[in-house]
Amino acid sequence: AGDMITVLQYSNADWWYGELSSNQEMDGYFPANYVKKVEADAEGESTMLKKREKEAQERAQVEAQKKREKEVLKREQEEAQKKREKEVLKRTQEEAQKKR
């Protein structure tokens, strides 16, 4: 349907292994006779490599941001738990003093 596939391995004459150029997470074997081979020029390969590198950097940045957000959330939850424990301890001590 007009999709571009980057061939990663010419396993044999009948089956090749590759990935969709628009989505590197979609990869697999496909029949060689279902595709038309188009040679990329040096500029095209260079552009594709730069695009992949940029996408990899963006994914890494997103993952790093998610990790930081999880760490912040964990710290906030721990601080809230400590605050609740202090409040319970304080009330318990106040109640004990009232009973004396």
Side-chain angles (χ1 to χ4, degrees), residues 34-91:
Y34 276 49
V35 296
K36 177 182 174 186
K37 189 173 181 180
V38 178
E39 295 293 333
D41 60 4
E43 182 62 30
E45 288 180 13
S46 174
T47 302
M48 188 170 25
L49 287 174
K50 287 178 185 176
K51 180 182 174 188
R52 281 192 181 172
E53 288 173 2
K54 182 179 178 186
E55 289 171 349
Q57 288 174 346
E58 289 171 353
R59 283 192 302 271
Q61 289 173 347
V62 167
E63 290 302 317
Q65 181 64 27
K66 285 180 184 179
K67 184 178 179 181
R68 285 191 297 272
E69 289 171 358
K70 283 182 180 180
E71 290 170 354
V72 168
L73 181 60
K74 183 178 177 183
R75 265 187 265 125
E76 289 173 350
Q77 290 172 338
E78 289 171 350
E79 289 172 5
Q81 180 65 28
K82 286 179 184 178
K83 183 178 179 182
R84 285 191 296 271
E85 290 171 357
K86 284 182 181 181
E87 290 171 355
V88 168
L89 180 61
K90 182 179 177 183
R91 277 192 301 242

Side-chain angles (χ1 to χ4, degrees), residues 3 7-8 11 21-22 24-25 51 74 77 79 90:
D3 290 326
V7 178
L8 302 172
S11 303
S21 295
S22 61
Q24 284 80 37
E25 292 182 16
K51 180 182 174 188
K74 183 178 177 183
Q77 290 172 338
E79 289 172 5
K90 182 179 177 183

